[in-house]
Amino acid sequence: MDLRLLRYFVAVAEERHFGRAAVRLHMTQPPLTRAVKRLEADLGATLLNRSATGVTPTAAGSALYDEARALLDQAERARARVAAAAGVGSITIGTLGDSVERAGSGTSLAAAFRRRHPDVEVRVVEADLTDPTIGLRAGRVDVAVTRAPFDDTGISIRVIRSEPVGAVLRADDPLADRDVLRIPDLDGRTWFGFPDGTDPFWRAYWSGTEPGGPLRDGPVVRTVHECIRAVLWNGTVGLAPLGHELAPPGVEPAEALTVVRLADMPPSRLIVAWRAGDTNPLLRSFVELAVPAVTHGNPEDAV
């Protein structure tokens, strides 16, 4: 099978929308649609159910997604090993949403890294919400710009900054005009759910609960865009860092949503993470650029 077609399919399956997947892949929608149809023809199976609001995987599509994800991860590991053997400098960066664009200290992290390493090949990999490490342990990425907390066993981290967290509400919600809320104010509301296998510390934090506690009832989401649409269409409640861009320009009107600060919610830590013991000099350089200079205490702040 063509790995390029599999990569296109995975993007559509994760975004649940051809338009958003096209933006993620830096391409236009028509060739993406044709590519997925070609994959369906090659396999002799319908992979996606199409509707006016987006797409959902069929049973065949769900089976292919798991296999495609594993094949793509294996291909990336092979690429990295070959590049290392050939002496070609490369680094793969994992990110959730716009996390990597929010890193750095008053400058573009991408521009700063290019100036320092103009000949290095850089790949940026986005992940859904089930794995906040974006595949660090599996070797899918070398470094991740993401958010804590999560199970950081075997992972080193450095905190970029902490940001207050608020409840994401529709603009016409009765609580939307409040300056501050507390989590009990949202009792009885429908919250987001996360797929089975999601990191328990991550799931608990973004559900406003404690690890090991009861799970909230609500629609299961995998991507930030799915969260936003659950708020817009169903009034579902979720959490987001204050100042976080909830929807790309042109996707949803900014005035349709609001984020109200939660006084009893610990701040969200934007972090850079990597496998403990990794001595790749490109990794060390990236961390230096992503994190403001540490002048006091341990530079690897524990989350």
Side-chain angles (χ1 to χ4, degrees):
M1 274 184 285
D2 187 331
L3 290 179
R4 180 176 58 89
L5 295 183
L6 291 180
R7 182 166 65 88
Y8 288 175
F9 167 74
V10 165
V12 176
E14 290 180 347
E15 295 293 340
R16 298 293 201 270
H17 194 277
F18 275 97
R20 292 195 299 273
V23 172
R24 168 172 158 180
L25 293 165
H26 305 291
M27 64 189 298
T28 58
Q29 184 172 334
L32 175 60
T33 302
R34 290 194 296 269
V36 173
K37 286 182 178 178
R38 195 170 94 200
L39 181 61
E40 290 179 316
D42 289 345
L43 294 174
T46 300
L47 302 174
L48 299 168
N49 291 317
R50 281 90 163 164
S51 72
T53 58
V55 300
T56 56
T58 63
S62 295
L64 178 62
Y65 175 84
D66 292 337
E67 296 295 333
R69 182 78 275 169
L71 285 170
L72 291 171
D73 287 347
Q74 183 177 356
E76 289 306 321
R77 289 195 293 272
R79 182 196 297 271
R81 287 196 296 270
V82 171
V88 178
S90 66
I91 187 169
T92 302
I93 303 165
T95 184
L96 285 174
D98 68 348
S99 294
V100 72
E101 279 72 33
R102 294 168 64 84
S105 180
T107 187
S108 164
L109 180 56
F113 193 84
R114 284 199 310 270
R115 283 195 299 270
R116 184 179 289 187
H117 304 286
D119 298 323
V120 168
E121 178 187 3
V122 179
R123 296 192 66 255
V124 178
V125 175
E126 292 188 15
D128 63 21
L129 300 177
T130 59
D131 179 13
T133 74
I134 307 99
L136 264 180
R137 291 188 178 88
R140 184 183 176 205
V141 300
D142 300 305
V143 63
V145 179
T146 182
R147 291 188 178 272
F150 52 81
D151 178 8
D152 58 4
T153 304
I155 292 177
S156 297
I157 68 169
R158 203 178 269 182
V159 177
I160 298 172
R161 62 176 168 272
S162 295
E163 299 173 320
V165 171
V168 183
L169 304 171
R170 207 162 52 197
D172 61 357
D173 190 286
L175 299 177
D177 292 332
R178 298 270 291 271
D179 292 328
V180 178
L181 292 172
R182 302 183 72 84
I183 290 177
D185 294 329
L186 302 170
D187 286 348
R189 298 293 193 97
T190 301
W191 288 59
F192 300 135
F194 293 91
D196 292 341
T198 299
D199 182 279
F201 297 97
W202 170 266
R203 182 205 301 257
Y205 178 86
W206 292 108
S207 300
T209 60
E210 296 294 328
L215 302 179
R216 295 187 187 273
D217 292 327
V220 173
V221 295
R222 287 182 174 273
T223 69
V224 173
H225 288 118
E226 288 183 11
C227 299
I228 298 308
R229 278 159 179 78
V231 176
L232 286 168
W233 288 88
N234 300 310
T236 307
V237 175
L239 305 180
L242 269 65
H244 184 75
E245 184 179 274
L246 296 176
V251 175
E252 297 294 347
E255 64 272 14
L257 297 169
T258 188
V259 183
V260 181
R261 185 173 67 85
L262 287 166
D264 53 351
M265 187 73 187
S268 170
R269 292 185 173 185
L270 182 67
I271 66 169
V272 59
W274 63 96
R275 289 181 297 279
D278 191 335
T279 59
N280 183 345
L282 288 177
L283 167 62
R284 292 199 301 271
S285 180
F286 179 87
V287 173
E288 290 173 3
L289 293 170
V291 185
V294 178
T295 57
H296 300 286
N298 187 346
E300 293 187 7
D301 294 323
V303 173

